[in-house]
Every structure is written in C-alpha cells, then in structure tokens.
C-alpha cells in the first residue's frame, strides 16, 4: 500500500523524477520526465543516464556520479540536458543517494525541473535593465536617484556628471543638499517634510567649481532596492530665467518710461506757462521784483532740466544724432572731471586709436560720462581709481544672445570702472530706475538718464558689480561706416536776440492757460496773433479771414486733426503758409504723427520767449514753406 502510494506521488509529480543505479543506469522514469525529455519510460529505463547529457557536460556527470558513489548528496545545480528531438533544455537538478539498511549506496534519485522559462525571463529582464540603464546613463538630460531618508545619491547619469562637474564616485558620496547653496537647504527640507508633489520646480544649484545655476527639476518617488527614493530629471534653465528676468526688467523700464514721458509732457506745459508769466512779470516789474522773477526763472530752469532727464530715461527726448568721435568726447569730459571728481580719486583714461564714429548727441553723451563718473565718486567715499576706456569690439550672435539686447556687429565700447563699494544683486536690478537711489538726498536720475540716452542712440548698457569689489559699466554704441560719418546735420543755431515782426500768426494751442500768454508775448513784439484752441477752430478762423496768414504755430498732438493734418488742409488754400510745430510730447510720439523734428520748423516745449521769437523769425524768413 505504501509503495503504491509513493509510486503514485512520483508518477504525478510536476518535476522530472528518475532513479538510477550507482553507475548511472536509469531504473525509473516518471511522466514529468517523459514530458521534459521526450523519451518514454520504456525508451529510457535501462539506458545510461549519459544519453540525455550533452558531450560538453560529461565531465560534470562523472563528478556527480562519483559523489553519489561516495554517499554524498549533490545540492541543486543548473545544467543542460538534451531532449529526444535534439533540443537542449535548461534544468535545475538535485541528486540524492539511495542507501540500503546497512548504509550502502544502492542507487540514486534525480529530481529535475525545467528552468528554461525562468532563464528566458531573467535574460529578458537583464536585457531590459541593461537597456534602461543605457537610457539612464546616456540620457541627454541630467538624471539622478537619491534616498528620501538620507538624501544620499544612489545613482547619477553621465549628463549630471558633465553638468555639475563631480565624478560619479564623488556624487555617490554626496547628498542632494551638497549641490545646493546653503540658503536653499531649508526650502528643500521643508518640501521633504510637507511631502513632495510631482510638479516641476526650479531650484538654485551650484557646480563643483562654485558657479550657480537655475535648474528645473521634475521628480517622482519610486522604490529602489526596497526603499523609497526620488528619481529626478533636471534641466539647466539659467539662460531662460535670465532672459525672463531681462524681459520683465525691460517691460518694467518701458512702463516707467511711458509714465515718465507722460508726466514730462504735462509738466512741460505747466513750466511753459510759468516761463512766459515770469517773462511778462519781468518786463513790467520794477527793480524790487526782479530778484523774485530771477528766482522763478532759475527754478523753472532746474525743473526743465528735470523733465529732460525724465525724457532721456524714457528714450523720448528729441536728440540731435550726429557723427560723434567718442575719443574726443571722452578727452573733453576728462578735463571737466578733474575739477568735478576730487583729488582723492585717480582718473585714468585709455582710448583706442582709429575708432569709427558713432551716431549720438554729443551733449547728451557727455552727460552720460559725467553721470557715470559722479556715480563712481559716490561709490568711493575714501577715494580710489576711476578708469574710462574706449575700444572697438565685434560682437557675434552667441555673445549678444547671452549678454545683450542688441544685434551682432561692430561696436564702440565705452567702459567706466571704479573700485568702490560695489552693488548687491537687489541694487543692480534697480540701478537704472528713476527715483531709486541708495543715497538719502539723491533722486536716482543719474543712471536712469544714462540708460535712456544710450538706448535712444541704439546702444546697450551692461552693468557688472560686486559688493566690496567695484562696479563696471560697459556701454556699446553701434559703429557707423566712414561714408556715413562724413555727413553733417544742419546745425541748430544759438538763440539770438528776439526779432520783432509785423506778420499775422495763427496760434493753435489746446492748453487754455498757455495760449493767451504766448499770444501776448508775440503781440508785444509786433505780430498780429489769431488764437485757436484746436484744429477745427483754426480752420474756421482761416476760412473766415480774407487777409494773408503768414505763419501757423501749432501743437502737434491735439484732439481731432493733429498738427500735420491741419497744416496740410490750410496749405491747400494757402500754399505760401509757413509752419512752426511745437510739442511737449516726446520724440516717438512726434514721429508717430508723421513729423520729423530735424527736417521741419520745430520747437520743443518748454521753451523760453526768446527761443520762440527766434524760431518764429527764422520760420518766417525762410523762402519757401516747409
């Protein structure tokens, strides 16, 4: 009963079970052996076991039989056997000796199981792991894996090694905190404590050489060798963040500039009223009041300079751009600086020879040099070195893409450097804003004016500064070709003595407080003045008047028709009409209305009475209307 039961177990087992004599002849062969090897029991029993052992495994078989003859059990080992159809099958084999009552070896039992599927699965897994490891190692983006408990790096790929500069061995001895500046460690720990989400985040990291960079990290929690880990894919976004910040800064400066330009326009009209009222008061007052009038005029002059600074910052000032020699300008400014800066500051001027010229307003460019020098003086309260240099540089596309907001090409570089206290990051970011200053009694217009003038000349300002090291301003102006440099613009003559006249003038001015006071000034010098509030009013007056109108003085920007459109309609019936345009609006607004101030009779608000009278006489004396 027991023998039949044991035989049934062997027969129904899923593993191939076979018996053999100590010398290796098969004595039993179960159903699983038939399925595994393809031989029936009748075919296998009586044969030496070597009939299913490949030739290259015969030495292994002899070793196993020798161990069995010695009464030793052979633990499971992996080997290869040959099936009836000649195929080879991978099996795991265990061989145990069969002993009689006296302990003598009378046979052996072999249990074999097919491990081919497992081996194929292992091979596929290995191939998959190899493939993924290859992808991990050679992925173009930096990837790393770190333990969420210890924060120690577990794996890094080649791209991470290349970006950060540490070797793989160095990385694996570090934690994720080691690639972050100290100030960023606390936010990391806070994120760990609150639980990570899988949204991308931008962190500040540093390389082995200490340089900082902005890195966008996308990470997920995974299981690695039975423990939680974070798998992170990183992208260096330093350049993108810099460009975004530059765009935000540019938009901010543009917005401030538009505001400054609008304020300057309205302020110009108010100053013009004060100027003319003071002029009237001065002509009609006695000696006791003349001191007060002079004070008013002096204050208006300072306020006018302030509006010009606002317009310069906003790049809306009307500049007279002419071919300008930067070296000559710097040399002239040097003479002024020796008296302005102070004996405790050493000024060094180094100019390159044979520089091309630039298109600039020489007076405004001198202001740029003076403002930068004064700014440097404030940064060196105990004295120091101020260096002004000029040179010619060629900027390629890659350089301007990384550093500047200008086109590639040939530029004249004006560099102003000091070894003063320097600026921190926050101060650098706001250095060119009007009204921003680090001085208790300062207005901050110096650098704002520099910014506006340079940008309006088509140039770019690059600022580098570190606390305790000093500051360098590099200003790039587009160089102009030699044939363009020899051109000269029509010089604007100095304001001479006011000249009287007798002609009829049509004055169009929408500022109610300003219009009558201008008219009275012109009438005092002999002119007959017709006043109009806007274009429609002017057209009505001209249509009703039968006599000649010699000069139209018109504001450019008005409700309804603008000044240019008004002049065109009036000239349709009065072709000899001369026109003098006037505006307190900035240059870009004037140009949008189709008028170029350099090619027409134009006077910029706020102007003095003498300037107006000079321009009126000049406009009237020209032989043909313009």
């Amino acid at each position: 009963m027991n023998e039949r039961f044991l035989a049934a177990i062997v027969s129904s087992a899923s593993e191939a079970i076979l018996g053999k004599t100590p010398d290796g002849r098969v004595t039993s062969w179960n159903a699983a052996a038939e399925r595994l090897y393809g031989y029936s029991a009748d075919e296998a029993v009586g044969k030496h076991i070597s009939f299913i052992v490949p030739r290259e495994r015969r030495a292994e078989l002899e070793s196993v039989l020798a161990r069995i003859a010695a009464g030793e059990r052979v633990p499971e080992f992996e080997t290869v056997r040959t099936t009836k159809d000649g195929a080879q099958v991978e099996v795991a084999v265990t061989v145990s000796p069969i002993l009689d009552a006296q302990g003598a070896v009378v046979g052996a039992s072999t249990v074999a199981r097919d491990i081919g599927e497992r081996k194929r699965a292992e091979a596929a897994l290995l191939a998959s792991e190899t493939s993924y490891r290859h992808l991990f190692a050679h992925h173009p983006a930096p990837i790393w894996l770190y333990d969420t408990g210890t924060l120690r790096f577990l794996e890094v790929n080649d791209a991470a090694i290349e970006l950060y500069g540490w070797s793989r061995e160095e990385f694996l001895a570090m934690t994720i905190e080691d690639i972050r500046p100290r100030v960023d460690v606390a936010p990391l720990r806070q994120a760990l404590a609150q639980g990570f989400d899988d949204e991308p985040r931008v962190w500040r990291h540093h390389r082995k050489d200490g340089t900082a960079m902005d890195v966008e990290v996308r990470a997920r929690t995974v299981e690695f060798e039975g423990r939680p880990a974070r798998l992170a894919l990183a992208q260096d976004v330093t350049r993108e963040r810099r460009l975004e910040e530059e765009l935000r800064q540019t938009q901010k400066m543009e917005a401030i500039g538009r505001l400054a330009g609008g304020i300057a326009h309205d302020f110009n009209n108010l100053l013009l009223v004060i100027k003319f009222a003071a002029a009237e008061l001065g002509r009609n007052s006695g000696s006791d009041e003349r001191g007060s009038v002079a004070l008013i005029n002096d204050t208006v002059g300072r306020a006018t300079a302030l509006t010009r600074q606002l317009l310069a910052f906003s790049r809306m000032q009307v500049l007279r751009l002419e071919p300008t020699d930067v070296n000559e300008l710097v040399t002239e400014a040097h003479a002024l600086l020796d008296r302005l800066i102070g004996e405790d500051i050493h000024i060094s001027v180094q100019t390159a020879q044979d520089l091309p010229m630039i298109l600039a307003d020489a007076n405004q460019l001198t202001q740029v040099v003076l403002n930068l020098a004064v700014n440097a003086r404030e940064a060196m309260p105990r004295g120091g070195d101020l260096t002004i240099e000029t040179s010619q540089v060629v900027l390629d596309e890659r350089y301007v893409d990384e550093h500047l907001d200008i086109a590639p090409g040939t530029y004249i570089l004006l560099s102003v450097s000091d070894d003063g206290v320097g600026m921190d990051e926050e101060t650098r970011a706001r250095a060119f804003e009007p009204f921003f200053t680090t001085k208790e009694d300062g207005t901050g217009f110096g650098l704002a004016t520099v910014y506006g003038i340079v940008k309006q000349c088509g140039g770019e300002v690059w600022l580098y500064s570190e606390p305790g090291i000093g500051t360098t301003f590099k200003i790039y102006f587009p160089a102009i070709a030699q044939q363009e440099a020899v051109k000269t613009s029509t010089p604007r003559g100095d304001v001479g003595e006011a000249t009287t006249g007798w002609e009829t003038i049509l004055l169009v001015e929408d500022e109610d407080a300003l219009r009558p006071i201008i008219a009275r000034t012109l009438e005092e010098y002999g002119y007959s003045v017709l006043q109009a509030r806007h274009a429609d009013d002017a057209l009505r007056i001209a249509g009703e008047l039968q006599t000649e109108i010699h000069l139209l003085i018109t504001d450019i920007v008005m409700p309804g028709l603008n000044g240019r459109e008004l002049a065109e309609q009036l000239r349709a019936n009065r072709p000899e009409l001369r026109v003098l345009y006037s505006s307190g609006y900035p240059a870009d607004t004037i140009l949008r209305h189709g008028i170029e101030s350099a090619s027409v009779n134009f006077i910029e608000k706020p102007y003095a009475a003498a300037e107006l009278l000079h321009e009126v006489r000049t406009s009237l004396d020209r032989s043909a209307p313009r």
Side-chain angles (χ1 to χ4, degrees):
M1 180 66 180
N2 289 339
E3 290 180 0
R4 288 198 299 273
F5 182 69
L6 291 174
I9 293 176
V10 171
S11 176
S12 60
S14 59
E15 290 86 2
I17 301 175
L18 54 95
K20 55 180 177 286
T21 61
D23 61 357
R25 292 196 174 277
V26 178
T27 57
S28 63
W29 190 268
N30 72 348
E34 291 181 339
R35 293 191 298 271
L36 178 60
Y37 298 117
Y39 294 98
S40 66
D42 291 340
E43 291 173 311
V45 173
K47 289 185 178 181
H48 193 275
I49 191 63
S50 59
F51 80 98
I52 61 171
V53 178
R55 187 177 300 279
E56 64 272 13
R57 298 281 182 165
R58 295 294 170 82
E60 175 188 85
L61 174 62
E62 294 299 328
S63 174
V64 169
L65 292 175
R67 293 173 66 182
I68 290 297
E72 181 183 347
R73 181 178 181 275
V74 181
E76 183 178 88
F77 63 96
E78 294 181 0
T79 187
V80 177
R81 294 292 181 255
T82 304
T83 63
K84 183 178 181 178
D85 59 8
Q88 291 191 336
V89 60
E90 293 180 287
V91 293
V93 178
T94 302
V95 185
S96 302
I98 300 175
L99 308 177
D100 62 11
Q102 287 74 36
V105 177
V106 296
S109 66
T110 299
V111 178
R113 54 189 179 85
D114 185 0
I115 60 171
E117 191 64 34
R118 191 200 78 192
K119 297 290 284 186
R120 285 189 290 275
E122 289 177 352
L125 179 61
L126 178 61
S128 177
E129 289 178 350
T130 301
S131 176
Y132 278 109
R133 183 166 291 277
H134 179 82
L135 290 174
F136 176 87
H138 300 291
H139 194 285
I143 306 177
W144 60 76
L145 187 73
Y146 67 92
D147 187 289
T148 57
T150 65
L151 303 185
R152 187 170 296 279
F153 284 104
L154 303 174
E155 288 286 352
V156 292
N157 72 345
D158 295 343
I161 293 169
E162 180 180 357
L163 177 62
Y164 287 86
W166 284 287
S167 67
R168 178 170 279 101
E169 291 72 20
E170 289 174 320
F171 253 122
L172 298 183
M174 296 162 53
T175 70
I176 192 70
E177 292 181 340
D178 294 328
I179 65 173
R180 301 176 186 273
R182 291 185 180 275
V183 294
D184 280 357
V185 170
L188 173 66
R189 291 191 176 276
Q190 182 179 5
L192 285 168
Q194 294 176 348
F196 271 109
D197 52 34
D198 292 334
E199 295 298 319
R201 296 189 181 196
V202 176
W203 300 89
R204 177 60 61 92
H205 287 179
H206 64 82
R207 299 180 177 89
K208 183 178 181 179
D209 62 8
T211 57
M213 58 182 170
D214 293 312
V215 181
E216 183 181 77
V217 179
R218 299 172 181 267
R220 287 191 175 183
T221 300
V222 298
E223 186 173 312
F224 180 76
E225 296 180 351
R227 53 184 169 174
R230 293 285 286 179
L231 179 65
L233 183 146
Q235 180 181 2
D236 181 5
V237 294
T238 305
R239 179 175 175 273
E240 288 79 0
R241 291 295 288 266
R242 178 181 62 79
L243 292 176
E244 289 173 2
E245 181 58 34
E246 287 179 358
L247 177 60
R248 283 193 294 270
Q249 183 72 4
T250 299
Q251 291 173 335
K252 179 178 72 174
M253 299 294 274
E254 291 291 345
I256 296 174
R258 286 193 296 272
L259 174 63
I263 292 173
H265 164 257
D266 293 341
F267 199 41
N268 275 339
N269 277 342
L270 298 176
L271 290 175
L272 197 49
V273 174
I274 298 172
K275 268 190 173 184
F276 275 75
E280 277 189 340
L281 183 61
R283 291 192 297 270
N284 300 319
S285 62
S287 57
D288 293 340
E289 292 85 9
R290 286 173 185 167
S292 298
V293 172
L295 178 60
I296 293 172
N297 285 325
D298 180 63
T299 304
V300 169
R302 290 162 58 193
T304 300
L306 186 63
T307 62
R308 292 188 186 278
Q309 288 182 328
L310 280 171
L311 288 171
F313 162 72
S314 62
R315 288 176 273 165
M316 296 174 176
Q317 190 175 22
V318 180
L319 298 184
R320 295 285 175 174
L321 300 181
E322 299 175 336
T324 302
D325 185 335
V326 176
N327 283 347
E328 181 180 336
L329 183 143
V330 168
T331 302
E332 293 174 355
H334 187 193
L336 296 174
L337 292 176
D338 282 336
R339 298 190 298 270
L340 178 65
I341 295 300
E343 296 180 355
D344 57 344
I345 294 177
H346 175 258
I347 304 174
S348 173
V349 176
Q350 302 170 17
T351 56
Q353 299 301 312
D354 302 323
L355 289 182
M357 301 184 83
I358 67 172
L359 279 179
D361 185 315
N363 292 331
Q364 295 296 330
L365 197 53
T366 300
Q367 188 66 46
V368 166
V369 177
L370 295 179
N371 284 1
L372 291 178
V374 171
N375 189 75
R377 181 192 64 187
E378 298 294 334
M380 297 183 289
R382 299 182 180 178
D385 292 320
L386 171 64
T387 303
I388 304 174
E389 301 175 83
T390 63
S391 61
Q392 179 177 337
V393 296
V394 178
L395 305 179
D396 59 24
E397 187 170 350
R398 179 179 178 182
Y399 184 85
V400 299
D401 185 51
E402 292 179 355
H403 296 87
L404 304 169
D405 186 24
I406 50 178
T410 301
Y411 287 83
I412 304 306
L413 171 60
L414 171 63
S415 175
V416 180
S417 303
D418 67 67
D419 57 359
V421 296
M423 306 180 194
D424 57 24
E425 186 173 351
E426 180 182 357
T427 303
R428 288 197 305 272
R430 302 188 61 190
F432 295 113
E433 294 180 14
F435 311 111
F436 174 76
T437 179
T438 56
K439 303 183 291 291
E440 292 183 1
D441 57 348
T443 63
F445 274 118
L447 295 182
T449 303
V450 168
Y451 175 85
I453 293 172
V454 172
K455 297 292 283 188
Q456 198 169 356
C457 292
E460 180 63 280
V461 185
W462 188 82
L463 165 62
Y464 179 78
S465 184
E466 289 187 29
I469 302 298
T471 300
T472 295
F473 288 90
K474 290 187 176 182
I475 304 176
Y476 297 86
F477 294 103
I480 59 175
Q482 185 174 1
Q483 60 270 26
E484 188 176 358
V486 299
K487 298 177 183 177
T488 58
S489 62
T490 303
R492 193 175 187 179
D494 294 333
V495 176
E497 292 184 1
T499 305
T500 59
W502 53 269
E503 292 90 346
T504 299
I505 297 174
L506 176 56
L507 173 65
V508 186
E509 170 60 59
D510 61 352
E511 181 64 49
D512 291 337
L514 182 59
R515 187 172 58 255
I517 201 168
I518 293 176
R520 287 198 301 271
T521 299
L522 292 170
E523 288 168 347
E524 284 185 24
Y525 284 84
Y527 297 102
S528 176
V529 181
L530 305 171
Q531 299 183 45
R533 184 176 183 183
H534 45 66
D536 290 342
D537 199 11
L539 291 172
R540 178 187 57 78
I541 293 173
E544 295 174 353
L545 189 68
Q546 300 300 315
T547 58
E548 183 178 1
I549 299 175
H550 300 89
L551 177 66
L552 168 68
I553 301 177
T554 178
D555 213 358
I556 292 175
V557 182
M558 298 183 297
L561 295 178
N562 63 40
R564 178 183 59 82
E565 293 167 337
L566 171 61
E568 289 174 353
Q569 290 200 22
L570 289 175
R571 278 178 173 169
N573 297 318
R574 300 173 182 268
E576 296 300 315
L577 178 68
R578 291 158 175 79
V579 180
L580 174 59
Y581 293 105
S582 173
S583 182
Y585 274 103
D588 70 333
T589 304
I590 297 171
L591 295 175
R592 284 201 301 272
H593 287 80
I595 296 173
E596 296 182 9
S597 61
S599 62
V600 298
N601 301 319
F602 174 80
I603 185 169
E604 181 185 359
K605 296 178 180 178
Y607 46 78
E611 289 180 277
L612 174 64
L613 292 165
H614 172 82
E615 290 296 334
V616 166
R617 191 69 261 162
T618 301
S619 300
L620 286 167
D621 290 343
R622 283 179 175 163
S623 60
R626 297 187 63 190

